[in-house]
Each structure stands twice: as structure tokens, then as C-alpha cells.
Amino acid sequence: MKIPTPDHAMASELVDQEPSGADLAAIEADMPVIVAEVALLDAQIAALDTPAMEVAERRIRRARRKLLAARLALAKPVPEVA
């Protein structure tokens, strides 16, 4: 018989719960960064499969700029609506 640890007990409680509205909103807010990170990774993988080309380098630079813009947008405080 295994005695459940506090972490195990907490994990079993979390399995039965669904994400809250706040959790879903946080995930939605992070999606532009996630999409930009995937695009950068895709560009880097594509560059590995082809000989060094200026097009691949431009694609990586463009993906990095999009990722930085998405991170900046996420970091900016959202003004409160009164």
C-alpha cells in the first residue's frame, strides 16, 4: 500500500478540475508568443535541411523579430478600463 504524498494528493485533485477562466485567459494571452516560438523553430529546422541561403537567414531573422514583438506585447501592461 502506497501512502499518498501531499504532491500526489494535490495532483489527484487537479485531475478532476478543469482550467478556470483565468487559466484559459492566460493561455490565450501567451498564444502569440507560443506561435512565434514555433515559427522560429520551424525556420531554424528548415535552415538545417538546406544549404546556407540568404532566404533561410531572412526567414530566421523575420521569425526572431516576430517573437520579440510578441514577447514585448505580452510584457506591456494592459491599461485598465474604468
Side-chain angles (χ1 to χ4, degrees):
M1 178 177 194
K2 186 174 182 181
I3 299 173
T5 62
D7 292 336
H8 182 276
M10 183 184 294
S12 65
E13 289 176 11
L14 292 176
V15 169
D16 296 334
Q17 296 179 359
E18 294 197 17
S20 67
D23 293 335
L24 294 174
I27 292 168
E28 187 67 30
D30 288 342
M31 280 309 293
V33 173
I34 294 167
V35 169
E37 288 174 339
V38 170
L40 175 58
L41 183 59
D42 185 46
Q44 291 170 332
I45 290 170
L48 290 174
D49 290 340
T50 60
M53 296 177 59
E54 188 175 331
V55 174
E57 292 173 11
R58 284 189 302 212
R59 185 175 176 209
I60 290 172
R61 283 195 305 268
R62 187 171 39 248
R64 283 184 179 147
R65 283 194 304 269
K66 286 181 181 181
L67 176 57
L68 290 174
R71 285 181 178 166
L72 180 63
L74 185 62
K76 285 184 180 179
V78 177
E80 292 186 25
V81 177

